[in-house]
Amino acid sequence: MKKTLAVLALAATLSSSASAFVPSASSAVKTFTGSAALNNGARHVATVGEASNLKSTTSLALSATGGSKAAEPEEEAGKSSMSDTLQTGTYFALWYLFNIAYNIYNKQALNVLSYPWTVATLQMTTGIAYFVPMWLLGLRKAPKLSFNDLKTLFPIALCHTGVHVGAVIALGAGAVSFAHIVKASEPVVTCLLNFLFLKQVLPIPVYLTLLPIIGGVAIASMKELSFTVLALASAMLSNVSSSARGVLSKKTMSGKKIGENLDAQNLYAVLTAMSTVILIPLMLAIEGTGFFTAFKGIVASGSHTNKSLAVLLALGGASYYAYNEVAFLALGKVNPVTHAVGNTIKRVVIIVASVVAFKTPMSTGSIVGSSIAILGTLLYSLAMNASKKK
């Protein structure tokens, strides 16, 4: 498994270098080098809000909507080559695989070392070992940012930190499946924050899709056999941080030119570096150096060796960064409807994989509730996409 993931990671890196992390030539519009990134897809350019009737690509990068490729007319879609279809399928498969691997390795590490802040920091730091060499070797153009650019990105980096650390704490405090069920409620938070801070009022059908999400999460929480308040609260922290990240990106970055060479992948890399700087003092303040003492104790007990435990932590960090990188490639090549379906399937696949991997018992109520909530997120994405076409 570990060797297979390493080969796939190398293949994804080579593929991404060759394609420069941009959508294929069939993309309907060339825009800014931001992109539907941090959960979404990739687009190509360097100023936000350049084209009318298009969202800022950086805002897309930081929002909960996605799929940067515009829906294509039927006759154009028919011209897509088989190789392009296979490439997109490969990206989706790697995206799912790395995401499943991350959730499993992360949970295994947290089961052994109950230091979520330290684990989250190590995972965030791992990404630096990936993108810094790429900048130094010229495989990717290094971003050039002024102090004012960093000030603009700082509140977004804070939210980015909250997204990751909240998810890691949730995964450590409860079942992986439960954390993802709660994270399915992110659209509810997004709608609320968009209304409060952007004064955005959405069509009634969009709001109606929030009802099954709320109801499904409530049912799943009440019937969840491994329910803990900490897991619920941490997953919601991740949701709020993710939604706030999208709102802040729209408020602070829209209409601005942010540095040079700040495409989707470099934006994610910069936020990763900033989040690492933010996490280190927080980690030390909350957990101190207890992680390292616990690490030695586990090795001394004979349950793990130094190498096996270090490899487990490294794989968690590598798969975390890898699934985000491949997500840019996968989601940058599809339209929003395909993105919505793909993201919904991804969540289902992760829940099923985690239940199988950890033999997590799920009550009938939990299964019913999670199914309703996940269906609601799909309906929300489709309703949002329909509202944008009007």
Side-chain angles (χ1 to χ4, degrees):
M1 176 66 169
K2 294 176 181 178
K3 290 182 179 179
T4 302
L5 286 172
V7 172
L8 290 172
L10 178 59
T13 301
L14 292 174
S15 173
S16 62
S17 298
S19 62
F21 293 99
V22 298
S24 63
S26 61
S27 291
V29 186
K30 280 189 178 181
T31 70
F32 154 59
T33 28
S35 83
L38 300 179
N39 291 318
N40 304 310
R43 292 163 70 141
H44 192 271
V45 179
T47 51
V48 185
E50 255 184 311
S52 59
N53 301 323
L54 287 175
K55 269 192 174 183
S56 148
T57 48
T58 302
S59 295
L60 278 172
L62 299 161
S63 67
T65 60
S68 63
K69 186 175 179 181
E72 297 178 354
E74 210 172 304
E75 58 274 14
E76 287 183 27
K79 297 176 183 177
S80 298
S81 67
M82 180 61 72
S83 61
D84 192 57
T85 302
L86 288 173
Q87 186 183 49
T88 303
T90 301
Y91 289 159
F92 266 81
L94 289 173
W95 177 37
Y96 285 18
L97 178 63
F98 287 136
N99 213 318
I100 292 169
Y102 165 67
N103 280 275
I104 291 175
Y105 289 138
N106 190 26
K107 182 62 175 176
Q108 287 176 340
L110 291 167
N111 283 344
V112 177
L113 292 160
S114 186
Y115 290 86
W117 285 87
T118 306
V119 171
T121 304
L122 291 173
Q123 290 172 351
M124 196 69 78
T125 306
T126 303
I128 297 175
Y130 172 80
F131 58 76
V132 170
M134 293 192 75
W135 290 341
L136 295 176
L137 295 173
L139 297 174
R140 181 186 297 175
K141 289 184 178 179
K144 297 178 182 178
L145 300 168
S146 67
F147 179 71
N148 285 334
D149 291 333
L150 293 175
K151 280 174 59 179
T152 299
L153 291 174
F154 182 73
I156 300 171
L158 279 175
C159 292
H160 184 57
T161 304
V163 173
H164 183 53
V165 78
V168 172
I169 294 173
L171 290 170
V176 174
S177 54
F178 179 64
H180 281 277
I181 292 168
V182 177
K183 281 179 68 62
S185 65
E186 184 179 327
V188 179
V189 182
T190 299
C191 286
L192 178 61
L193 294 186
N194 280 344
F195 175 74
L196 292 176
F197 297 103
L198 300 179
K199 309 303 179 186
Q200 182 185 48
V201 178
L202 298 169
I204 295 298
V206 175
Y207 289 124
L208 290 177
T209 64
L210 300 180
L211 297 178
I213 297 176
I214 296 170
V217 171
I219 293 171
S221 297
M222 288 188 293
K223 300 298 181 179
E224 174 60 38
L225 299 177
S226 60
F227 175 85
T228 67
V229 174
L230 180 59
L232 175 63
S234 300
M236 286 307 299
L237 168 64
S238 184
N239 284 346
V240 172
S241 298
S242 181
S243 299
R245 184 176 62 184
V247 170
L248 283 172
S249 72
K250 294 173 188 175
K251 286 182 71 72
T252 63
M253 298 177 73
S254 182
K256 288 185 180 181
K257 179 179 178 179
I258 307 294
E260 296 179 31
N261 304 326
L262 197 66
D263 60 12
Q265 289 67 39
N266 277 345
L267 171 62
Y268 184 73
V270 169
L271 291 178
T272 295
M274 294 177 74
S275 291
T276 301
V277 174
I278 293 169
L279 274 171
I280 289 173
L282 289 175
M283 170 199 76
L284 293 173
I286 295 170
E287 294 179 348
T289 58
F291 171 89
F292 303 101
T293 303
F295 188 104
K296 292 177 182 178
I298 291 166
V299 172
S301 70
S303 59
H304 284 80
T305 64
N306 276 312
K307 181 180 178 181
S308 66
L309 198 50
V311 168
L312 178 61
L313 292 166
L315 285 172
S319 55
Y320 168 70
Y321 202 85
Y323 91 71
N324 282 288
E325 281 281 327
V326 178
F328 306 149
L329 298 169
L331 302 179
K333 295 181 73 66
V334 298
N335 60 55
V337 175
T338 305
H339 162 264
V341 175
N343 209 31
T344 301
I345 294 173
K346 182 205 73 173
R347 198 172 295 283
V348 173
V349 169
I350 292 173
I351 290 174
V352 172
S354 66
V355 167
V356 172
F358 297 105
K359 298 180 174 59
T360 307
M362 290 184 72
S363 66
T364 302
S366 181
I367 294 172
V368 171
S370 61
S371 300
I372 293 172
I374 291 170
L375 175 62
T377 62
L378 174 60
L379 294 175
Y380 167 81
S381 298
L382 296 177
M384 281 291 289
N385 182 57
S387 70
K388 290 171 191 172
K389 291 180 178 179
K390 295 179 181 180

